[in-house]
Amino acid sequence: MFWLSYIVLIIAVVATGEELKRCLMMMQQNSYRPDRYRRWLDQSQDSTSVRRLLSGAVVLASLSTLSVTALSAALVGVASVLNFISLKTAVYKKPLVWTPRVKRIYGTIIALVLIVFAIVCLLACGREQIVDFLMVTALACYCFSHLFVVAAVWILSPVESHINKGYYNDAARILSSMPSLKIVGITGSYGKTSTKHYLHRILSEHYETLMTPGSFNTPMGVIRTIREQMKPYTQVFICEMGAKQRGDIREICDIVHPSMGIITAVGPMHLETFKSIENVQKTKFELADAIPADGMVVVNNDFAYCANREVGNTECI
């Protein structure tokens, strides 16, 4: 029955690989920040999902029945097949984007999993059930997939900080070489993407205009836009700014230093991280705080701040 154990081992490894990619996708959507990722785990209860708990129960049951190879293989095989089917049929709003950073993290995750497999091989060396131990280990790695992702991000944090600093400096160099560039920051709980497109359509009639594409509204998304799409002849840069917690807008403003801004709305979005609507408002108004004295920021299309003074639209425009 060794062939059954080998087949189950392959299925379990493939299912675990898919689960690791799913966890990495969620880490990417939480800006590669373990603190946000842990909050997502608490809110979604993903670490205690039915699939994960059942897989954990199968791991424990299999360890107690390893002497009965067929039963152990059947338990792990059924659990792995169900996990694989569930992962492949799931539909995600934002799929995993295979950026260079994701590839580095995934490579580190695979290295950590291989280390675990190597340790199991050493401990089970000489035993007839070594393949059975490996298939159970593969399912156990599925159960603790979150830990592998967090560990990989932590291990690579010095490397990523060094790389990001280089990107940051390069973007700053590009912007400093364009003193006449007008930068418009746009943020808000909703409506910022539509406003960005409307403004780009209007301004591009008379100026060479660049806007952050898609959902490139994070610091690294903005930096990537500057480094890859900014041209020496660009006259206006429209920068969408997203946020999930205090300080996110300020961080982007410190990169681009906008001279004008639009705050589309303040609403109860991302309250799981903001905690209160007051924090949402303070975060959105980090854009207003970053506007220089001779700049302008429009809020809710109702009033504006010129030279840090609240005045009517007619005086500003």
Side-chain angles (χ1 to χ4, degrees), residues 179-231:
S180 61
L181 178 69
K182 299 298 182 182
I183 301 176
V184 183
I186 300 178
T187 190
S189 298
Y190 48 85
K192 53 184 177 290
T193 301
S194 298
T195 302
K196 174 184 68 176
H197 283 281
Y198 291 145
L199 188 61
H200 179 266
R201 180 67 182 85
I202 294 170
L203 293 178
S204 60
E205 292 288 335
H206 302 284
Y207 305 99
E208 191 65 39
T209 307
L210 170 67
M211 69 176 181
T212 49
S215 58
F216 279 38
N217 58 11
T218 64
M220 290 311 300
V222 171
I223 288 174
R224 182 177 174 183
T225 302
I226 296 170
R227 295 180 66 247
E228 296 180 1
Q229 301 186 36
M230 185 72 71
K231 306 299 181 184

Side-chain angles (χ1 to χ4, degrees), residues 24-41:
L24 181 53
M25 174 186 69
M26 298 312 304
M27 178 64 81
Q28 184 181 59
Q29 293 180 18
N30 283 279
S31 304
Y32 306 102
R33 295 177 60 166
D35 56 334
R36 292 185 180 181
Y37 184 66
R38 285 193 293 269
R39 281 197 294 269
W40 171 78
L41 287 177

Side-chain angles (χ1 to χ4, degrees), residues 59-227:
V59 169
L60 295 176
S62 298
L63 289 175
S64 65
T65 59
L66 278 178
S67 58
V68 186
T69 303
L71 179 58
S72 177
L75 289 172
V76 176
V78 170
S80 298
V81 168
L82 292 176
N83 290 336
F84 180 78
I85 293 174
S86 177
L87 289 166
K88 296 304 290 185
T89 56
V91 178
Y92 304 107
K93 183 177 179 180
K94 294 182 179 179
L96 179 64
V97 180
W98 286 96
T99 63
R101 183 172 188 176
V102 166
K103 293 176 182 178
R104 289 191 294 270
I105 296 174
Y106 194 66
T108 304
I109 292 171
I110 297 303
L112 293 174
V113 171
L114 291 177
I115 290 173
V116 172
F117 272 69
I119 293 173
V120 172
C121 287
L122 289 175
L123 294 176
C125 184
R127 299 189 182 184
E128 293 183 358
Q129 300 100 333
I130 185 170
V131 177
D132 301 293
F133 276 111
L134 289 176
M135 70 182 184
V136 175
T137 300
L139 187 58
C141 290
Y142 170 93
C143 297
F144 296 101
S145 56
H146 301 305
L147 297 181
F148 286 102
V149 173
V150 172
V153 170
W154 179 78
I155 291 171
L156 289 175
S157 58
V159 176
E160 299 301 335
S161 295
H162 178 73
I163 294 174
N164 290 344
K165 184 178 181 181
Y167 291 156
Y168 183 99
N169 292 337
D170 190 38
R173 176 191 60 79
I174 293 172
L175 292 178
S176 63
S177 68
M178 305 174 66
S180 61
L181 178 69
K182 299 298 182 182
I183 301 176
V184 183
I186 300 178
T187 190
S189 298
Y190 48 85
K192 53 184 177 290
T193 301
S194 298
T195 302
K196 174 184 68 176
H197 283 281
Y198 291 145
L199 188 61
H200 179 266
R201 180 67 182 85
I202 294 170
L203 293 178
S204 60
E205 292 288 335
H206 302 284
Y207 305 99
E208 191 65 39
T209 307
L210 170 67
M211 69 176 181
T212 49
S215 58
F216 279 38
N217 58 11
T218 64
M220 290 311 300
V222 171
I223 288 174
R224 182 177 174 183
T225 302
I226 296 170
R227 295 180 66 247

